[in-house]
Amino acid sequence: MTTLHFTEEQRDCLQELVNVAMGQASDKLARYLETMVHLQVPAIKLVDTQQLPEHFAKRYQQQSVSLISLGFFGDQGLRGETIMLYQLANVGVLAKLLGYSDDDSSEDEMLTDISSVLTTTFLNGLAEQLDNSFSYAAPRILSSRDEHFADKLAATAQQWQLALQVDIRYQLTDYSFHCDMILLIPGEAVLRLRQMLDQILADF
Amino acid sequence: MALTVLICDDSLLARNQLKKALPADFDASIVTATNGLEALAVLQSQEIGLVFLDLTMPELDGVGVLEAIKAQQLDCLVIVVSADIQPEMQKRVMELGALAFIQKPANADKLAAVLHKYGLI
Amino acid sequence: MPLAGLLQPLLSQLNSGVVLLDAELKLVFINQFIARRADLQPEDVKGKSLFEVFSDLPQAWLQRKLHGVLSLQVPAFSSWEQRQYIFKLPHLRPLSSDSAYMAQNCSMLPLTAADTGERYICILVEDATDAYVYQQQLQHSVARLQLANRTDGLTGVFNRSYWQQQLGYEIQRAERYQHPLSLLLFDLDKFKQLNDHYGHLGGDAVLIEVARLVAALLRDTDLLGRYGGEEFGIILPETDLTGAMQVAQRLCSAVAAHRVAFEQQQLLATISLGVTGFTSGLSSDQLIQQADEALYSAKRQGRNQAVAWRDSQSVYLKKVK
């Protein structure tokens, strides 16, 4: 699908928009959690959705991973789905920082809440850079504590034409939290996104 | 004598945004660098009056550049232009000797305000 | 503009609940969907605290969520799958559901007033009772299916494949925690004669009755399965060989003393039992083999008795074979 390719300039532009959005998100999170969030450059990669399951299966090597999906809709045909990948061991401290205790919420509820905070703060920032605004569907658990999560990922990813892989590492003051985020965007929305990027590039 | 300005950012878009946001009557020649190591090489080889410095960059990040400038006592003004806008980070770069902090994306108003404040225009 | 005048009728007709809160979590507005189900007058609750009006809310949890919505300006969600409801409201299908309250999907959305810039939260409440009821039914069906999958059709005890699977798990557990475990196999004596004499229905009646009698004498944690035609197995967790022999003898006498009623007759049946204790390193096949050898000894020694496995039996058996 050569039509879905991005030029290096478009990719660079999107990377910068992601950086800025990520910066805004971590600032909000830092204020909310009352702790410093250290931000690393989120390398973005545009990948074929068919390569995703293999890539993440390799990265997590049969460890149990939870997948949470969240859909978003914007103006001008921009839409897609984000998938967060976590290892549950990673989530505990973040849950405590967010004020969760074991007795008032289930593990599933905690996972969906954290995912929705992390993705919507980021996506709101991205929408702003694009002069757009997003509305969101409720987060869904695609699979939880699953060693065979790659199959579930494959089933979801194959419905989309393009994946934007964003490796997010939120490092908190004395705790390192790491998760992966994948942005999945359908073909026609990729075309819209490219038009938007070209418009920004034309301005500079 | 015209000022030489170094714009250091790994993103082409960010560098262009910054160039375009400089005031029209700002009399300066511009050189660019795409990461911290390149920036230090430029700073060591020619006289730079002012640096616009991104923080999150590959190879060597902006904090590393500020530390090197301080350690090597290089004579230049640094304005940080970054998306990492947390108060803690702003405080840290100011302690390392940065003149000002501009939140990305850079635009003409933000730049003019800072340049004006420090008498650069 | 006609839209402004239409908004109120639209909100009151909406088949979802709308709860509007200010930044202090005081009620600004509730629509008819909520008002009617909660038996409230929209005018009465205006300006009152959300938690005062709806006293059943999960306060700590909800406050935290709403605080996140306000300070991060991002939406938050709650799904009936994780939390059946936030607002304790009745639903419209009381007869077809075993739940008294409406299952809900809720969205908590940050809003900013266009004119004043003040911040609000809108809680949208969607009725998910249908999905909830459907899933409950599905779960019941799955549970029934799982039960059917592991049950012996005639006697109602576990079938062979499920029972053997459980034996594997119990062996792993005994091995890991160094806990005792015993296995017992028993067989109805002269079952073929019974069948020939009373027909298959008579044989079946005895099988059903003996399985019922034995099951009633076991602990909840013991696992009784039908291993073959007239052969049964019992897994006895946390039980050493001495304890297992006591169980075996009790079962043997209980069956011998029992009369099975069949077509106005009283049938007599006895069982022979082989008992063995788990020792580290044994596989489930080896354990079954040992119990089987002990059972064979019980038969050979005259039936209607229990025999514990001893190493010498296998030597002896090899000789006679």
Side-chain angles (χ1 to χ4, degrees):
Chain A
M1 273 192 233
T2 50
T3 49
L4 294 184
H5 271 319
F6 278 55
T7 65
E8 177 47 33
E9 266 146 20
Q10 287 165 339
R11 198 207 62 83
D12 171 81
C13 180
L14 186 55
Q15 168 88 58
E16 184 61 10
L17 300 185
V18 167
N19 284 1
V20 173
M22 203 65 81
Q24 291 174 349
S26 50
D27 179 52
K28 277 187 176 174
L29 283 173
R31 288 167 199 267
Y32 183 57
L33 302 174
E34 292 170 350
T35 177
M36 170 88 169
V37 178
H38 181 66
L39 185 63
Q40 290 180 342
V41 192
I44 64 161
K45 256 189 288 182
L46 293 161
V47 292
D48 189 341
T49 50
Q50 282 162 9
Q51 296 163 359
L52 277 177
E54 201 188 337
H55 171 83
F56 283 103
K58 215 177 273 171
R59 168 173 302 186
Y60 288 102
Q61 309 235 355
Q62 310 279 300
Q63 297 174 75
S64 69
V65 170
S66 298
L67 298 182
I68 321 293
S69 146
L70 189 130
F72 62 95
F73 273 86
D75 298 326
Q76 299 162 58
L78 198 58
R79 65 189 178 91
E81 178 177 0
T82 61
I83 295 182
M84 302 288 274
L85 290 92
Y86 307 90
Q87 283 179 276
L88 216 57
N90 245 323
V91 181
V93 174
L94 195 60
K96 279 215 186 79
L97 276 172
L98 283 165
Y100 282 89
S101 60
D102 296 340
D103 45 324
D104 71 352
S105 300
S106 66
E107 182 178 294
D108 284 354
E109 189 165 51
M110 213 172 71
L111 272 179
T112 51
D113 282 1
I114 290 172
S115 305
S116 114
V117 166
L118 292 179
T119 41
T120 53
T121 46
F122 164 71
L123 286 172
N124 272 358
L126 188 62
E128 200 180 303
Q129 312 294 309
L130 291 166
D131 261 335
N132 211 309
S133 75
F134 294 156
S135 48
Y136 304 96
R140 264 180 323 129
I141 296 179
L142 297 180
S143 110
S144 188
R145 291 177 179 252
D146 192 351
E147 286 165 32
H148 308 288
F149 70 96
D151 299 338
K152 298 255 173 45
L153 184 57
T156 305
Q158 72 175 7
Q159 303 165 34
W160 306 91
Q161 283 77 44
L162 181 97
L164 182 64
Q165 188 187 316
V166 188
D167 296 345
I168 306 179
R169 273 158 216 271
Y170 284 117
Q171 184 118 22
L172 307 183
T173 318
D174 42 16
Y175 168 69
S176 142
F177 168 73
H178 168 249
C179 64
D180 288 290
M181 181 165 86
I182 309 164
L183 268 177
L184 296 161
I185 305 170
E188 70 269 32
V190 173
L191 300 180
R192 294 301 181 89
L193 178 61
R194 281 202 324 199
Q195 287 167 5
M196 291 173 195
L197 295 176
D198 284 342
Q199 244 162 42
I200 294 172
L201 285 166
D203 285 345
F204 296 104
Chain B
M1 195 188 78
L3 188 68
T4 304
V5 173
L6 170 63
I7 297 176
C8 177
D9 198 306
D10 55 324
S11 161
L12 174 67
L13 175 76
R15 295 196 298 274
N16 287 347
Q17 272 177 336
L18 208 110
K19 270 186 221 168
K20 203 178 167 196
L22 284 169
D25 54 350
F26 191 58
D27 185 20
S29 58
I30 291 166
V31 290
T32 59
T34 63
N35 64 50
L37 290 183
E38 279 184 27
L40 285 183
V42 173
L43 286 168
Q44 280 151 2
S45 66
Q46 67 186 101
E47 193 140 320
I48 300 291
L50 178 63
V51 184
F52 288 104
L53 183 66
D54 181 26
L55 290 181
T56 40
M57 287 184 296
E59 308 288 337
L60 180 67
D61 66 10
V63 171
V65 174
L66 281 167
E67 281 165 352
I69 289 174
K70 200 173 179 183
Q72 297 170 29
Q73 296 182 317
L74 296 170
D75 185 22
C76 62
L77 299 174
V78 180
I79 295 174
V80 171
V81 184
S82 174
D84 191 350
I85 53 175
Q86 297 176 62
E88 283 285 326
M89 182 52 97
Q90 300 200 26
K91 192 171 149 232
R92 188 158 168 214
V93 298
M94 299 312 267
E95 279 166 4
L96 282 168
L99 186 64
F101 193 104
I102 292 174
Q103 179 182 348
K104 273 188 176 183
N107 62 34
D109 290 346
K110 290 184 202 168
L111 232 60
V114 170
L115 293 174
H116 191 75
K117 183 175 173 188
Y118 294 98
L120 295 164
I121 48 169
Chain C
M1 185 166 104
L3 188 61
L6 284 170
L7 276 181
Q8 280 289 348
L10 176 74
L11 284 169
S12 69
Q13 294 287 320
L14 206 60
N15 210 12
S16 299
V18 177
V19 177
L20 194 59
L21 302 169
D22 65 15
E24 268 93 54
L25 307 187
K26 294 208 167 77
L27 290 163
V28 176
F29 172 80
I30 57 172
N31 73 345
Q32 294 299 326
F33 180 95
I34 298 282
R36 287 180 183 146
R37 284 166 178 77
D39 196 17
L40 294 167
Q41 292 298 320
E43 288 311 309
D44 296 348
V45 300
K46 211 175 261 182
K48 287 190 183 155
S49 152
L50 170 70
F51 298 105
E52 186 190 316
V53 174
F54 298 95
S55 53
D56 290 326
L57 293 171
Q59 187 164 351
W61 171 84
L62 187 58
Q63 249 169 349
R64 191 170 56 231
K65 290 242 302 201
L66 296 175
H67 171 61
V69 173
L70 279 172
S71 56
L72 294 171
Q73 288 293 297
V74 294
F77 302 92
S78 169
S79 157
W80 63 271
E81 287 177 278
Q82 278 113 48
R83 190 176 289 266
Q84 197 195 333
Y85 53 83
I86 295 184
F87 292 92
K88 213 167 182 176
L89 302 173
H91 59 74
L92 300 175
R93 318 185 31 173
L95 291 177
S96 57
S97 163
D98 55 2
S99 149
Y101 301 104
M102 179 204 294
Q104 298 160 6
N105 283 326
C106 295
S107 311
M108 290 148 254
L109 311 168
L111 296 182
T112 304
D115 47 353
T116 61
E118 278 177 85
R119 290 187 162 170
Y120 295 87
I121 298 174
C122 172
I123 307 181
L124 280 181
V125 181
E126 285 167 74
D127 186 344
T129 307
D130 282 346
Y132 176 78
V133 169
Y134 176 67
Q135 209 203 38
Q136 293 263 304
Q137 285 167 349
L138 199 68
Q139 273 169 0
H140 286 314
S141 309
V142 168
R144 264 206 311 274
L145 204 65
Q146 276 172 346
L147 191 67
N149 238 341
R150 62 189 198 203
T151 307
D152 174 60
L154 179 69
T155 61
V157 303
F158 293 129
N159 61 25
R160 176 170 174 163
S161 67
Y162 180 78
W163 181 82
Q164 264 186 309
Q165 191 188 30
Q166 296 306 306
L167 179 60
Y169 294 148
E170 291 301 336
I171 285 177
Q172 276 175 19
R173 235 201 339 235
E175 188 82 78
R176 191 178 320 136
Y177 302 113
Q178 301 287 302
H179 282 191
L181 169 70
S182 293
L183 179 68
L184 199 158
L185 285 184
F186 72 86
D187 195 298
L188 280 154
D189 295 327
K190 301 189 172 166
F191 187 66
K192 192 173 174 307
Q193 288 176 20
L194 205 77
N195 262 335
D196 290 346
H197 203 262
Y198 298 101
H200 283 289
L201 286 180
D204 286 353
V206 173
L207 284 173
I208 292 167
E209 189 70 8
V210 167
R212 193 193 57 75
L213 178 66
V214 169
L217 290 170
L218 295 174
R219 301 170 301 182
D220 286 346
T221 47
D222 299 331
L223 297 153
L224 171 62
R226 187 168 173 206
Y227 191 72
E230 70 270 25
E231 194 171 355
F232 294 80
I234 304 171
I235 305 165
L236 300 164
E238 309 291 333
T239 308
D240 61 14
L241 187 59
T242 318
M245 273 307 282
Q246 286 166 4
V247 173
Q249 255 126 22
R250 204 162 58 231
L251 296 179
C252 191
S253 0
V255 172
H258 193 73
R259 304 281 179 279
V260 180
F262 177 70
E263 293 178 349
Q264 272 92 51
Q265 301 172 74
Q266 304 280 318
L267 309 196
L268 268 171
T270 60
I271 56 176
S272 300
L273 307 96
V275 186
T276 189
F278 173 74
T279 48
S280 181
L282 284 180
S283 71
S284 68
D285 283 348
Q286 285 169 320
L287 202 61
I288 289 174
Q289 173 73 27
Q290 288 182 2
D292 208 33
E293 284 165 12
L295 172 57
Y296 184 85
S297 299
K299 292 266 184 202
R300 209 179 47 83
Q301 289 168 28
R303 304 189 178 85
N304 191 20
Q305 58 185 284
V307 170
W309 181 82
R310 274 172 294 121
D311 209 9
S312 56
Q313 278 165 353
S314 52
V315 179
Y316 174 78
L317 275 175
K318 271 174 204 148
K319 272 188 205 150
V320 293
K321 272 178 188 169

